Amino acid sequence: GVLEVECVNLRDYAVNAYGKVDDNPYGGGEGMVLMVEPIDKALGHIRTKTDTHVILLSPRGPRFCQQDARRLAVKPHLTLVCGHYEGVDERVAEHLCDESFSLGDFVLSGGEPAALALVDSLARLQPGFLGNPGSLADESFEQEQYIEYPQYTRPAVYRDWKVPEVLLQGDHRKIAEWRQEQARLAWQRFRGSDSDK
């Protein structure tokens, strides 16, 4: 009951009785492009029922990040337009959507997996979604240039792999310092090269 997701079949708004929602790209090229008209009709129908914030999932958009998730999580209604095939008629982004996002510098067959990831990132920010709301307190990307420190649990030694000694001693100040340093090192190791992006 925390979140409701409704899927809209774009073919219900097709331009003909055959369910056509895509066509060849102007200027030539491989693949098919989702047409502007069915998307416009679908969004028009949605907007008659609710005031919604419309997001196009596309590799042409900026990368979605945790700050975007925080900003969007407070909106009462979102509509996600999933790209497919070779993409979406650019007039959708220019005239029908409030913003666009990409999940990263890779290509998917369609925007549906990206939509699922975005929905999950927003859902976990809703009150009552997580069993322990404190889980949100110290997460990756909640601060600028921050990836959460590594986590360990029992057993303290598995094969010859040991949990760092500082975590076993109970000195909370030293544990906090170790975690802060590990988070800094994680950022440098995994994200330092693209911190300017």
Side-chain angles (χ1 to χ4, degrees):
V2 175
L3 185 74
E4 182 179 337
V5 177
E6 178 185 347
C7 293
V8 175
N9 186 349
L10 195 56
R11 293 194 187 281
D12 292 342
Y13 302 91
V15 298
N16 61 29
Y18 301 105
K20 187 171 179 64
V21 296
D22 61 349
D23 210 334
N24 296 308
Y26 279 126
E30 302 300 320
M32 303 293 276
V33 176
L34 284 176
M35 302 165 75
V36 65
E37 186 177 353
I39 296 172
D40 187 26
K41 287 180 178 179
L43 291 175
H45 179 76
I46 292 166
R47 286 180 168 133
T48 63
K49 298 188 294 184
T50 185
D51 182 27
T52 188
H53 186 82
V54 180
I55 297 169
L56 174 64
L57 296 160
S58 165
R60 291 174 50 82
R63 285 190 214 165
F64 183 73
C65 68
Q66 189 65 20
Q67 287 70 32
D68 297 315
R70 284 262 177 220
R71 176 176 55 82
L72 294 171
V74 299
K75 294 192 177 288
H77 194 277
L78 297 173
T79 299
L80 307 179
V81 177
C82 298
H84 208 67
Y85 309 118
E86 279 300 303
V88 178
D89 188 301
E90 187 64 17
R91 291 169 288 189
V92 173
E94 292 173 346
H95 303 288
L96 300 176
C97 296
D98 297 301
E99 57 188 322
S100 297
F101 286 113
S102 168
L103 285 195
D105 296 344
F106 56 93
V107 178
L108 298 168
S109 296
E112 296 84 1
L116 182 60
L118 193 144
V119 166
D120 186 70
S121 74
L122 300 176
R124 61 191 317 280
L125 296 174
Q126 301 305 311
F129 187 82
L130 293 178
N132 179 3
S135 297
L136 296 171
D138 194 23
E139 288 193 308
S140 296
F141 314 116
E142 285 298 322
Q143 307 168 40
E144 191 171 326
Q145 295 189 355
Y146 180 81
I147 296 177
E148 190 174 0
Y149 46 82
Q151 300 279 7
Y152 299 87
T153 190
R154 291 178 177 85
V157 178
Y158 177 74
R159 295 168 83 173
D160 284 332
W161 309 328
K162 297 179 181 179
V163 171
E165 192 65 32
V166 67
L167 299 177
L168 305 174
Q169 295 175 345
D171 185 330
H172 295 293
R173 183 185 58 77
K174 286 184 179 178
I175 291 172
E177 289 171 357
W178 179 87
R179 286 177 169 170
Q180 184 177 14
E181 176 64 8
Q182 292 302 308
R184 185 187 68 75
L185 292 172
W187 180 267
Q188 287 179 343
R189 178 179 176 196
F190 299 114
R191 296 298 174 96
S193 64
D194 54 276
S195 62
D196 59 332
K197 293 182 184 176

